[in-house]
Amino acid sequence: EKDNKAPGPLELHLSPLLDLEKGCYLGQEGVASVVKNPRGPPRLLYSVVFDDESNVYETDNDDNLTTIPQVGQELCVLGSNEEISVGTITSIAEPSGTGDATIVGLALVRRADSILKQMQNLDLEVGESSFRETNPAITSGQGIIAPPPLDPLDGLEVIVGGTFTVGKLRMVPSRRFRLGQNMFDDSKDKFIPPDDEGSVMGVLNPTIVDTLQEEDEIDVEKAQIEAEKAQAEAKAAAEEAKRKEAKIEMLQKRAEEAVARRKKKKAS
């Protein structure tokens, strides 16, 4: 039933459009519960790519189980004998609609930690991440050590339930290309070739430098706001502690006065 529910904005990677400081609004409780959950959203949107080299579609052959993926079909981890459910296909583009020999779709995928735990029990591994494919400086022998994948499920090989159709999960472009690479023009790399002095790191493209600087400014502003908020909360907590301490002292004084009156009364 969860897979049939309409996705929330955080599941669709629309967090930049949310105002978490805003007051009451329709759907606020659902958003708040996801934000507070350390495991994150129950599902996330992924691209799923079905390569023609791995799938031979014969629509006229009823015995061929390699069929064109359809909306609503379940995705499972390849090699799990369909024991590990990954998620559900939500949309499918026309075959070769991107210009490549592929069929591309979108899928809502369950939490990575749950899927990876089940894969570990079956000794299965995630495939090659698309981070290397979209970052030529890492794969071109420039001596750059590849960072860990941005998403643990990026590159996961999946199979459409009840068929032989296989594909791979990919981060959606808004996440995969967030470092500044132009997703429409492969010639516009985010790294300029190494200089004449033999530097293996190359020089950052000016556009990327501007983007990083803007992100740094936003991070500094957010840090200042959070620091001011934390300072205000600490001040309020200190005032509350003083108030409680004064109340305790008052109660203790009253108790001592009551005991003294009782003693005086007994003595008389």
Side-chain angles (χ1 to χ4, degrees):
E1 294 182 358
K2 286 185 177 181
D3 287 345
N4 295 328
K5 291 178 63 177
L10 294 172
E11 294 178 312
L12 301 178
H13 311 293
L14 298 178
S15 55
L17 304 181
L18 293 176
D19 184 357
L20 300 179
E21 303 299 326
K22 182 178 174 62
C24 295
Y25 58 89
L26 185 63
Q28 181 188 28
E29 293 183 359
V31 171
S33 65
V34 173
V35 171
K36 293 179 181 179
N37 192 327
R39 297 178 64 195
R43 302 171 300 178
L44 282 176
L45 188 68
Y46 285 79
S47 297
V48 55
V49 181
F50 301 95
D51 198 321
D52 285 1
E53 292 185 0
S54 304
N55 301 286
V56 179
Y57 307 107
E58 296 180 6
T59 56
D60 297 333
N61 186 355
D62 295 336
D63 295 329
N64 184 14
L65 291 179
T66 305
T67 58
I68 295 177
Q70 303 294 324
V71 172
Q73 286 185 306
E74 183 184 24
L75 294 175
C76 301
V77 175
L78 183 64
S80 70
N81 196 26
E82 300 187 12
E83 293 181 7
I84 305 177
S85 177
V86 171
T88 306
I89 298 174
T90 60
S91 59
I92 285 289
E94 290 291 330
S96 304
T98 61
D100 297 326
T102 60
I103 295 178
V104 179
L106 294 174
L108 280 171
V109 175
R110 295 184 175 91
R111 287 190 178 102
D113 56 355
S114 175
I115 294 173
L116 294 175
K117 184 176 181 180
Q118 295 178 73
M119 291 178 62
Q120 186 177 12
N121 293 336
L122 296 179
D123 293 328
L124 298 174
E125 296 181 356
V126 178
E128 182 72 13
S129 170
S130 64
F131 183 83
R132 290 177 175 270
E133 297 178 7
T134 54
N135 289 270
I138 291 175
T139 57
S140 58
Q142 295 183 13
I144 298 176
I145 299 175
L150 297 175
D151 190 294
L153 294 183
D154 187 50
L156 176 65
E157 293 181 309
V158 294
I159 185 169
V160 179
T163 75
F164 291 159
T165 307
V166 297
K168 282 187 178 182
L169 293 186
R170 295 300 189 199
M171 291 183 291
V172 293
S174 61
R175 300 180 67 208
R176 191 163 71 243
F177 295 91
R178 66 182 180 181
L179 297 180
Q181 186 177 357
N182 190 309
M183 63 179 287
F184 299 107
D185 189 347
D186 292 338
S187 65
K188 295 183 179 179
D189 298 335
K190 65 180 185 219
F191 283 98
I192 296 175
D195 54 30
D196 295 335
E197 296 179 0
S199 171
V200 296
M201 292 298 292
V203 183
L204 280 173
N205 186 304
T207 302
I208 307 308
V209 173
D210 293 341
T211 302
L212 294 176
Q213 288 176 344
E214 291 176 1
E215 291 178 352
D216 288 342
E217 291 175 0
I218 294 174
D219 289 341
V220 170
E221 184 178 351
K222 288 177 64 178
Q224 290 175 342
I225 294 174
E226 291 177 357
E228 292 174 358
K229 185 177 179 181
Q231 187 176 8
E233 291 176 351
K235 184 178 179 180
E239 292 176 353
E240 179 67 14
K242 287 182 180 180
R243 187 186 67 80
K244 289 183 177 180
E245 184 179 359
K247 186 175 181 179
I248 291 173
E249 289 179 356
M250 181 188 68
L251 293 174
Q252 287 179 339
K253 186 177 180 180
R254 287 182 180 178
E256 291 173 356
E257 290 175 352
V259 171
R261 285 196 300 268
R262 287 181 182 178
K263 290 182 177 179
K264 186 176 180 180
K265 188 175 181 181
K266 286 180 179 182
S268 60

